Amino acid sequence: MPAHASTAPSRRAFLTGRVARPEPEFRPPWTDEARVQAHCTSCNACAEACPEEIIEFDGRGRPRIRFRGGECTFCAACAEACPEPVFDLEQTAPWPVTVDIGSSCLLSAGITCQLCTDICDPRALRMDLSVRPAGAIQVDANACTGCGACLATCPNNAIAIRDPRQQRSPG
């Protein structure tokens, strides 16, 4: 069996469009994919400096954010520790990342929950009680910093990070 056979989609999966797509990589704040590709030397300084321990390295040795119970506090320790021009602290916002609430939110099943709104410091997540039966969480994209604090609190994994720079074009 060829080495690549285990990663190749089955014919049925390919024809039905159920081919697993890799998850997008979320680069640290104050940088983007182009800057990381052009300047990162995989020195690990950014990950070692991160007090929240949410920076890890992908298979190619480039930094990515993994919100596994932590959140980004935008302390800029990663950017300050990096010896290369990977980060740009002159940007007006650290990144354009926000969150989306998916259909698996407990509220859509009529189960009251608003843990994400309780943890959201910028108050970007708000309960809308006009939606029946139990309400719905509304995201204020202008207030959302993309810090990731809400991800770990969601008991149903209904919250996803969205980076408009990585949106796939239809078709």
Side-chain angles (χ1 to χ4, degrees), residues 98-101 114-128 136-141 143-144 149-151 153 159:
T98 59
V99 297
D100 280 332
I101 308 294
Q114 62 181 64
L115 292 171
C116 59
T117 64
D118 294 342
I119 194 96
C120 184
D121 278 341
R123 299 291 173 226
L125 302 176
R126 295 190 180 103
M127 176 66 90
D128 180 359
I137 303 297
Q138 301 297 324
V139 180
D140 180 351
C144 182
C150 57
L151 295 175
T153 65
I159 304 174

Side-chain angles (χ1 to χ4, degrees), residues 6 8 10 16 26 29 32 41 43 53 109 115 117 134 137 143 146 149 161:
S6 63
S10 70
T16 59
F26 293 101
D32 56 27
T41 61
C43 71
E53 299 179 352
L115 292 171
T117 64
I137 303 297
I161 294 291

Side-chain angles (χ1 to χ4, degrees), residues 37 47 104:
Q37 284 186 17
S104 64

Side-chain angles (χ1 to χ4, degrees), residues 40-73:
C40 183
T41 61
S42 304
C43 71
N44 203 31
C46 59
E48 290 174 2
C50 180
E52 302 301 324
E53 299 179 352
I54 60 170
I55 299 177
E56 66 178 30
F57 285 81
D58 64 16
R60 294 176 284 181
R62 292 186 259 164
R64 67 179 173 196
I65 298 292
R66 285 286 189 246
F67 296 110
R68 292 192 181 109
E71 65 183 271
C72 185
T73 59

